[in-house]
Amino acid sequence: MDTMKRTTPPPYSNVPTPAYVVEEARLKANFALIKNIAEAAGVEFVMSFKAYALWKTFPLLRKYIRHVSAASPDEARLGFEEFGAPCYTYSPAFEENSFANVVRWSSHITFNSLSQYACFAPQVSKGVSMGLRINIGYSEIETLLYNPCSPGSRFGVTADQLPAALPDGIEGFLCHNHCESDSHALERSLAILEERFGQWLPQLKWLNLGGGHLVTRNDYDTEHLISTLQSFRERHPRLHIILEPGSAFGWQTGPLVASVCDIVENAGIKTAMLNVSFTAHMPDCLEMPYHPAVRDAETLPNLSDKEAASVPNVYRLGGNSCLSGDWMGYWSFPKPLQIGDKIIFEDMNHYTTVKTTTFNGIRHPSILMLHEDGNIETLRQFSYEDYRDRMD
């Protein structure tokens, strides 16, 4: 199995900037691959809003999956009202004033701790399945910011905290310890999970293996994933297995298109000033950090400032906020950049669109859909009122 073959990308020469562009063909290819894996492995995939929540694409998504996962009351409401199904909901900390609505909008509710279970379990309606998040104390995530199993983590119940008999009504476990990981990392994690939590698995109806399974990446070994999941199901035939990636659904489904507004030079270093912001529109680039791929440009992350000043057509890319660190570098372009040129940041739908801000009053990029027939639909344009109404 693999994702769709990558055809020549659209030029986007007529796209007004700034804009996120969602490519319908690539969305459908990702959704279809995920559905095929689920059917072959005998498991359920749900989509996590944490990474992808473009709800105007939900009519398409509903053709491929039955549920979505939420991590807050507003995400649960979005799933219930816009996707049209109760959510698989987990929160690090449920609150008394919103929990009744969470119950109304959910089919599964997972608690982060035994104390949260004790507080809220009496309010859970009959028919809503309850679970606990577990922390298996193992993760292969190298970036600490994204590692939920680091020492002292606030996420999940460790094995030494669980009683031999699970609390009343607990029917499932949620285990999340991956980030853009492969099937072999999952295989090793399952071995640790069975070793440390195996005594409780016969008491469960479902096991949610969380997100971070980047099954739509071109080099992902989907056949190994399927065999790994099939083998695990053979060992635990009573368990309904759930995976809830977010990135996999939106992976490589479209870019952020920007324009060059100015080119400034200081100490021999040229910076192309854009009408987008890294801190406001691409925050993971600074948080992770990573250099995003720019179409028709070569990324040069290890280039020194001295080298950059002596190489032609090499630029930093600068955001349009007042944050001093709102820039990244370096990229080499085939010819000198000019004011008005388009800069296309690849793969900017998953995580990026859900984490944006209006810092500095910078307007959010429009959200466009490139349909398979070539037509471009505007899903959302943003205005001054969107910024104003977030303020008091």
Side-chain angles (χ1 to χ4, degrees):
M1 293 184 182
D2 200 353
T3 49
M4 65 181 289
K5 292 181 180 179
R6 299 304 189 195
T7 56
T8 302
Y12 294 126
S13 56
N14 297 320
V15 170
T17 65
Y20 297 103
V21 183
V22 185
E23 298 178 19
E24 181 182 24
R26 293 190 174 191
L27 270 185
K28 290 174 70 173
N30 283 357
F31 296 171
L33 176 63
I34 288 168
K35 181 180 179 181
N36 290 341
I37 293 171
E39 291 176 348
V43 301
E44 180 181 14
F45 274 78
V46 301
M47 189 192 71
S48 169
F49 286 153
K50 180 172 69 172
Y52 183 91
L54 296 177
W55 58 271
K56 288 188 178 179
T57 67
F58 288 178
L60 176 62
L61 179 63
R62 279 195 295 267
K63 298 176 182 179
Y64 299 89
I65 63 172
R66 295 184 296 121
H67 294 96
V68 289
S69 71
S72 68
D74 283 354
E75 283 190 348
R77 181 176 179 178
L78 185 72
F80 188 79
E81 294 185 355
E82 302 299 339
F83 186 79
C87 290
Y88 292 16
T89 305
Y90 156 82
S91 174
F94 289 112
E95 296 180 84
E96 187 66 46
N97 62 2
S98 58
F99 189 73
N101 280 331
V102 169
V103 174
R104 183 159 62 93
W105 297 324
S106 304
S107 61
H108 295 62
I109 292 179
T110 299
F111 299 105
N112 187 61
S113 66
L114 290 169
S115 56
Q116 281 260 296
Y117 158 81
C119 179
F120 291 107
Q123 301 178 43
V124 175
S125 306
K126 185 177 180 181
V128 176
S129 185
M130 292 189 293
L132 286 174
R133 178 165 179 167
I134 59 171
N135 188 327
I136 65 171
Y138 175 83
S139 176
E140 299 181 17
I141 301 172
E142 295 181 356
T143 304
L144 193 61
L145 182 67
Y146 295 95
N147 186 351
C149 295
S150 58
S153 171
R154 72 192 197 281
F155 292 129
V157 180
T158 55
D160 62 306
Q161 296 171 329
L162 282 176
L166 291 174
D168 258 1
I170 294 297
E171 298 182 331
F173 281 167
L174 163 64
C175 174
H176 174 56
N177 67 324
H178 296 289
C179 177
E180 298 187 0
S181 303
D182 62 21
S183 60
H184 297 277
L186 173 62
E187 184 177 38
R188 290 186 287 270
S189 295
L190 288 175
I192 297 292
L193 190 155
E194 288 178 302
E195 175 190 339
R196 298 178 182 175
F197 288 85
Q199 64 176 302
W200 293 285
L201 296 183
Q203 301 178 43
L204 302 177
K205 293 182 178 180
W206 53 266
L207 174 65
N208 186 332
L209 297 174
H213 313 283
L214 196 48
V215 300
T216 50
R217 188 175 59 202
N218 280 341
D219 62 350
Y220 193 98
D221 190 343
T222 55
E223 295 301 333
H224 179 256
L225 172 67
I226 290 168
S227 64
T228 297
L229 292 171
Q230 288 174 334
S231 176
F232 185 82
R233 288 183 60 241
E234 288 172 3
R235 297 194 298 274
H236 308 281
R238 293 180 65 255
L239 285 178
H240 174 58
I241 307 300
I242 304 158
L243 295 89
E244 54 171 52
S247 290
F249 286 85
W251 183 256
Q252 295 288 350
T253 56
L256 172 59
V257 186
S259 293
V260 177
C261 298
D262 193 13
I263 296 173
V264 300
E265 186 170 344
N266 191 347
I269 296 169
K270 296 185 289 292
T271 302
M273 304 293 290
L274 309 179
N275 62 346
V276 295
S277 162
F278 286 99
T279 189
H281 305 143
M282 297 173 279
D284 268 357
C285 295
L286 300 181
E287 290 178 5
M288 188 73 167
Y290 75 96
H291 281 69
V294 173
R295 188 170 300 180
D296 300 325
E298 180 185 359
T299 308
L300 303 171
N302 299 316
L303 199 68
S304 70
D305 291 348
K306 183 177 181 180
E307 291 170 325
S310 62
V311 179
N313 306 331
V314 168
Y315 299 84
R316 288 178 177 177
L317 297 179
N320 59 345
S321 81
C322 292
L323 176 69
S324 298
D326 191 3
W327 63 273
M328 295 196 76
Y330 289 96
W331 285 265
S332 173
F333 291 83
K335 61 182 181 179
L337 292 177
Q338 305 292 328
I339 293 173
D341 283 351
K342 295 281 177 66
I343 302 295
I344 300 175
F345 293 96
E346 304 285 11
D347 193 24
M348 284 293 165
N349 284 324
H350 63 95
Y351 272 105
T352 302
T353 50
V354 297
K355 294 181 73 172
T356 55
T357 72
T358 57
F359 169 65
N360 239 169
I362 296 172
R363 193 163 296 179
H364 194 288
S366 299
I367 302 174
L368 310 179
M369 169 76 88
L370 174 63
H371 289 287
E372 289 181 292
D373 62 8
N375 288 323
I376 293 180
E377 176 188 2
T378 299
L379 300 182
R380 177 72 190 274
Q381 283 184 311
F382 295 85
S383 65
Y384 159 72
E385 287 75 19
D386 292 301
Y387 167 69
R388 181 198 65 191
D389 292 347
R390 291 183 71 250
M391 305 295 114
D392 55 14

